[in-house]
Amino acid sequence: MNEKRIRVLIAKAGLDGHDRGAKVIAQALRDAGMEVIYTGLRQTPEQIAETAIQEDVQVVGLSSLSGAHMQLFPPVAQLLREHGAVDVLVIGGGIIPEEDIPYLKGVGIAEIFTAGTSTGDIIKYIQERL
Amino acid sequence: MFDQEKVQALRSKKEEWDRKTTAQLARSPERKQEFKTDSDVPVQRLYTPVDIADLSYERELGLPGEYPFTRGVQPTMYRGRLWTMRQYAGFGTAEETNGRFKYLLEQGQTGLSVAFDLPTQIGYDSDHPLARGEVGKVGVAIDSLQDIELLFDGIPLKKVSTSMTINSPAAVILAMYLVLAEKQGVVLAELNGTIQNDILKEYVARGTYIFPPLPSMRLITDTFAYCAEHVPNWNTISISGYHIREAGSTAVQEIAFTLADGIAYVDAAIKAGLDVDNFAPRLSFFFNAHLNFFEEVAKFRAARRIWAKIMSERFKAKDPRSLMLRFHTQTAGCSLTAQQPDVNIMRVAYQALSAVLGGTQSLHTNSRDEALALPSEQSVLIALRTQQVIGYEIGVTDTVDPLGGSYYIESLTNKIEEDVWDYINKIDELGGAVRAIEKGFMQREIQRSAYAYQRQIESGERVVIGVNKFQMETERPKDLLKVNPAVAERQVEKLRNLLESRNQRMVSEALQNLRNTAQTNENLMPAIIRAVSVYATLGEICGILREVFGEYQQQVLL
């Protein structure tokens, strides 16, 4: 493993209050040796991008279970690019219909993990990508 | 309950049987070293009268409709009337949801249950910047009385009971419903329904809080007082364990934290000067029906018994209705899988059965496709039909509390009660539910259980069909419901038209009156009713209250 620990921001985008998944994943990533920052609820895309840049993270994990992912995920990736944070790996999860995934990948969300994904798969994905 | 001599004889016999059986395990081992419920209660190989030898029938079980209500809150239960079949529904605009409501009523549903979108639940109008992407998504968008009028268009409020999942702005939505009822010519005393109005679990598990605890509790006790006087059949709160469980708690934690919240509401109302028997009969509860079948049945029975004891012993309530824990149940959304979604139909059926055997007053059955999207009309129909099969075809409704007296069920009911009291005592030591939440106690307990649950799935210790066992590639269902993206624009346009057409002077005066009242200790309901009736918007009303009360800042725990 890298000497520097992987830094991850887990963020709840929008008004959705379902944070069980976000917190479970944050804990699993932490147990896997990563440094994890969790934003808490009700974050706008602007706030998430700002925190990601300030905290100098390598990964941003977005969560929304309210169906707002199409409006809230793309701006995060875009804002990061605009601020030169092009290397940040942006991934997402939640209740996300399959037909939305190609669009999200096209606008810079590297991967989408839907219900039933094991935390082990997410950890492996991050470690392989960085 | 049993002849103690016979129990003693049985005890020796059972010990002998245990020895014999254990000796055979080397040859034919059991499937697991340890069997446990979801709340980590060890499950024995066999239950006999020995396990409930000390149970006093009279004190701990009683008769249905009588203290401590373990066996049910009504004497005849489902022989008299089945539970209310109440599917939670709402999406898009009020007009669209009105269509779904009428469909459900035509299919034999007996009550309505309104899902509101997140901006509504958090007190923002549809044109607020924070409403981006959320309008009409997880429920119907309501900006003003006009939307409530459209939502119930053609539905006589006198004939339906309506449950509304609304918390921080519950007083405002209730006010809109009351004004609409009066417009329909319905006497308020004839209205039946429920507002969730349970802020404490929002801080803990659900997340749609607006104001800090103190003013939030005031809004809640104001609705208690107002309804006791004007809308006597209205359930003024639905104290909810559902979301606590969805957030990952165990069954024991679900009941313990919910009842601790209940204690906090009763305390607050008494402190506000209300007499306990004046409001307590209208308190209602909302629980989850999860997978561990017998533990769920025992959980519902234990909850009734504990609440009866709390109300009688702690609060000295006299009216029997104050002692009855009446509850709504929803099957566990978090147990649904995106993989092989049709299997969810079976999960829901067993969960629903546990709620019925547990004596629920109303029930929502989840739809098979909810791990993927909002439920389609076809999926909702199967979910409703599942309840109808339980109610009409399989005979479980013909006698009261059919599992009562089962050695296992009674022993589990006792154990759950014991563990729940431990938590309630601990929360009392922390200074009550509000303080425990401020200290993050409940949140941390839930988080720990949620993580343990996930690890059990990943280690294979907990089997989830289609996820970690019997996996197969299946095609995702095609006919998922999608909220039309134009909904937000239509809703915002409707709001603009309203703002132009209403009497602005009357709105300003009503909002000023609301602000003035909020700064006193007077009951807020009359001022809110006045504001909604001149079409002040939900966002305007909550905006004024935000200015006066401030906003809750979540402490981020991880």
Side-chain angles (χ1 to χ4, degrees):
Chain A
M1 195 192 267
N2 299 346
E3 259 176 54
K4 204 167 153 254
R5 292 166 78 193
I6 298 172
R7 279 172 74 80
V8 185
L9 178 71
I10 297 292
K12 281 298 300 176
L15 301 179
D16 175 35
H18 295 93
D19 57 1
R20 175 179 182 167
K23 285 176 168 176
V24 163
I25 284 163
Q27 263 173 292
L29 297 183
R30 191 175 281 177
D31 285 355
M34 302 183 198
E35 266 183 74
V36 182
I37 302 148
Y38 171 55
T39 60
L41 301 181
R42 294 193 201 171
Q43 301 291 304
T44 64
E46 292 76 14
Q47 288 170 318
I48 295 168
E50 199 186 312
T51 311
I53 290 163
Q54 266 176 12
E55 297 284 348
D56 195 22
V57 298
Q58 292 144 283
V59 184
V60 175
L62 300 169
S63 158
S64 167
L65 282 73
S66 67
H69 51 273
M70 294 294 264
Q71 283 82 13
L72 296 175
F73 288 5
V76 176
Q78 194 193 337
L79 285 162
L80 286 172
R81 275 197 303 274
E82 281 172 16
H83 288 87
V86 281
D87 294 336
V88 176
L89 178 68
V90 184
I91 56 181
I95 305 271
I96 296 173
E98 213 155 60
E99 65 258 37
D100 292 350
I101 294 176
Y103 171 80
L104 293 170
K105 286 190 172 174
V107 296
I109 313 298
E111 192 54 84
I112 295 291
F113 298 99
T114 55
T117 308
S118 98
T119 57
D121 290 346
I122 299 172
I123 292 164
K124 208 169 118 211
Y125 175 84
I126 293 174
Q127 285 169 343
E128 280 173 7
R129 284 293 302 258
L130 293 182
Chain B
M1 214 158 70
F2 304 98
D3 179 336
Q4 290 304 319
E5 266 175 44
K6 286 184 180 165
V7 169
Q8 204 45 48
L10 179 64
R11 194 186 306 268
S12 326
K13 237 179 143 176
K14 165 94 185 324
E15 278 165 14
E16 178 54 30
W17 180 85
D18 273 330
R19 268 194 298 277
K20 230 169 47 192
T21 313
T22 314
Q24 287 171 354
L25 288 183
R27 254 189 306 122
S28 46
E30 293 178 325
R31 287 183 293 109
K32 288 190 263 187
Q33 285 288 325
E34 248 188 325
F35 291 79
K36 280 181 187 171
T37 69
D38 284 354
S39 301
D40 241 7
V41 174
V43 180
Q44 297 170 195
R45 183 171 301 123
L46 180 74
Y47 288 84
T48 69
V50 174
D51 298 291
I52 49 172
D54 300 329
L55 183 70
S56 153
Y57 186 92
E58 207 187 349
R59 202 179 58 237
E60 302 296 332
L61 297 178
L63 296 168
E66 292 177 15
Y67 188 85
F69 304 99
T70 311
R71 308 208 61 188
V73 292
Q74 296 127 6
T76 61
M77 287 303 290
Y78 308 130
R79 287 168 65 100
R81 188 176 73 79
L82 296 182
W83 60 93
T84 303
M85 299 181 188
R86 197 192 287 284
Q87 297 296 94
Y88 186 46
F91 57 94
T93 58
E95 293 90 326
E96 280 170 286
T97 301
N98 176 264
R100 175 68 71 96
F101 282 172
K102 286 177 174 164
Y103 172 78
L104 287 167
L105 291 169
E106 279 161 23
Q107 296 306 321
Q109 172 165 295
T110 47
L112 295 175
S113 174
V114 189
F116 296 95
D117 72 359
L118 286 166
T120 305
Q121 294 190 49
I122 301 176
Y124 295 125
D125 285 337
S126 300
D127 60 353
H128 193 281
L130 289 174
R132 173 170 35 159
E134 309 275 16
V135 175
K137 286 284 167 64
V138 301
V140 59
I142 300 294
D143 290 324
S144 74
L145 173 60
Q146 183 186 51
D147 292 322
I148 289 286
E149 290 165 352
L150 294 165
L151 184 63
F152 294 102
D153 183 49
I155 299 172
L157 301 191
K158 191 176 164 177
K159 293 205 175 131
V160 292
S161 75
T162 305
S163 171
M164 296 188 274
T165 300
I166 193 77
N167 292 281
S168 297
V172 185
I173 297 290
L174 173 64
M176 290 178 185
Y177 194 83
L178 299 181
V179 171
L180 174 63
E182 288 195 317
K183 286 191 176 189
Q184 283 193 0
V186 184
V187 185
L188 294 189
E190 288 176 340
L191 277 185
N192 284 290
T194 307
I195 41 174
Q196 199 163 76
N197 210 15
D198 169 15
I199 193 64
L200 293 177
K201 64 91 175 57
E202 297 296 329
Y203 302 132
V204 175
R206 192 166 174 278
T208 70
Y209 44 75
I210 305 177
F211 315 113
L214 207 64
S216 293
M217 295 299 266
R218 171 194 172 184
L219 274 167
I220 292 166
T221 53
D222 280 358
T223 55
F224 287 3
Y226 186 86
C227 290
E229 195 176 335
H230 302 281
V231 206
N233 292 327
W234 195 264
N235 297 315
T236 50
I237 192 166
S238 173
I239 308 166
S240 305
Y242 183 80
H243 320 88
I244 290 174
R245 191 68 180 279
E246 287 292 297
S249 85
T250 65
V252 164
Q253 289 166 343
E254 175 191 356
I255 297 304
F257 299 164
T258 307
L259 299 187
D261 288 348
I263 291 170
Y265 294 123
V266 175
D267 270 332
I270 291 173
K271 209 176 269 176
L274 302 180
D275 176 68
V276 65
D277 283 320
N278 193 25
F279 66 88
R282 299 320 307 172
L283 304 179
S284 63
F285 291 82
F286 174 21
F287 294 120
N288 197 300
H290 214 285
L291 288 163
N292 199 288
F293 189 83
F294 292 115
E295 183 174 53
E296 293 302 289
V297 176
K299 172 188 89 175
F300 298 123
R301 301 173 83 248
R304 269 195 298 274
R305 182 154 86 204
I306 304 166
W307 187 246
K309 290 179 183 174
I310 290 170
M311 292 309 290
S312 150
E313 291 164 17
R314 182 170 183 145
F315 293 112
K316 313 287 176 221
K318 297 282 176 292
D319 187 335
R321 295 174 308 150
S322 303
L323 315 177
M324 286 179 201
L325 181 144
R326 297 171 298 121
F327 67 101
H328 172 68
T329 308
Q330 179 168 339
T331 57
C334 61
S335 73
L336 302 179
T337 62
Q339 296 85 348
Q340 303 180 42
D342 284 349
V343 177
N344 291 325
I345 297 173
M346 268 64 82
R347 294 192 177 97
V348 167
Y350 292 125
Q351 293 166 352
L353 181 59
S354 77
V356 168
L357 294 173
T360 195
Q361 275 57 62
S362 63
L363 180 59
H364 167 105
T365 33
N366 288 331
S367 297
R368 59 181 164 170
D369 48 0
E370 287 186 71
L372 301 164
L374 286 177
S376 68
E377 200 162 87
Q378 185 57 30
S379 299
V380 174
L381 185 64
I382 295 173
L384 176 61
R385 292 287 184 255
T386 303
Q387 294 197 36
Q388 291 163 337
V389 168
I390 296 172
Y392 295 101
E393 291 190 357
I394 62 172
V396 293
T397 48
D398 295 349
T399 188
V400 178
D401 188 29
L403 293 186
S406 145
Y407 311 122
Y408 180 35
I409 286 288
E410 294 303 353
S411 149
L412 207 45
T413 305
N414 290 345
K415 175 65 178 152
I416 289 171
E417 175 174 2
E418 201 183 299
D419 290 354
V420 167
W421 281 121
D422 285 347
Y423 264 121
I424 291 178
N425 292 336
K426 168 89 185 154
I427 291 165
D428 278 342
E429 279 166 29
L430 290 171
V434 177
R435 288 293 296 134
I437 291 165
E438 284 169 349
K439 288 177 178 163
F441 172 71
M442 294 186 195
Q443 296 91 314
R444 271 191 294 269
E445 291 287 303
I446 294 168
Q447 224 165 293
R448 203 165 55 201
S449 302
Y451 194 46
Y453 193 96
Q454 179 65 25
R455 290 172 67 114
Q456 286 167 3
I457 292 175
E458 297 192 7
S459 72
E461 188 189 331
R462 179 184 293 276
V463 172
V464 184
I465 306 297
V467 172
N468 62 7
K469 211 178 177 82
F470 310 118
Q471 298 100 316
M472 61 191 237
E473 284 301 318
T474 45
E475 257 187 54
R476 293 273 188 123
K478 289 274 179 297
D479 47 356
L480 295 176
L481 184 126
K482 230 177 160 150
V483 176
N484 183 343
V487 158
E489 290 159 40
R490 282 212 305 272
Q491 188 63 24
V492 168
E493 197 190 315
K494 202 177 7 164
L495 177 61
R496 291 221 177 94
N497 290 339
L498 174 82
L499 296 182
E500 279 168 22
S501 63
R502 66 184 186 176
N503 183 327
Q504 196 51 49
R505 190 179 54 80
M506 284 169 80
V507 173
S508 304
E509 283 171 9
L511 290 175
Q512 186 56 47
N513 175 55
L514 175 70
R515 183 188 299 274
N516 296 343
T517 312
Q519 284 158 343
T520 68
N521 287 326
E522 276 171 55
N523 193 309
L524 275 162
M525 278 304 288
I528 294 173
I529 289 173
R530 179 174 154 192
V532 303
S533 62
V534 294
Y535 297 92
T537 67
L538 177 76
E540 288 171 329
I541 293 169
C542 291
I544 299 277
L545 297 178
R546 278 184 157 98
E547 284 170 30
V548 179
F549 295 154
E551 291 193 57
Y552 178 72
Q553 297 302 325
Q554 184 201 30
Q555 41 163 335
V556 178
L557 296 163
L558 193 70

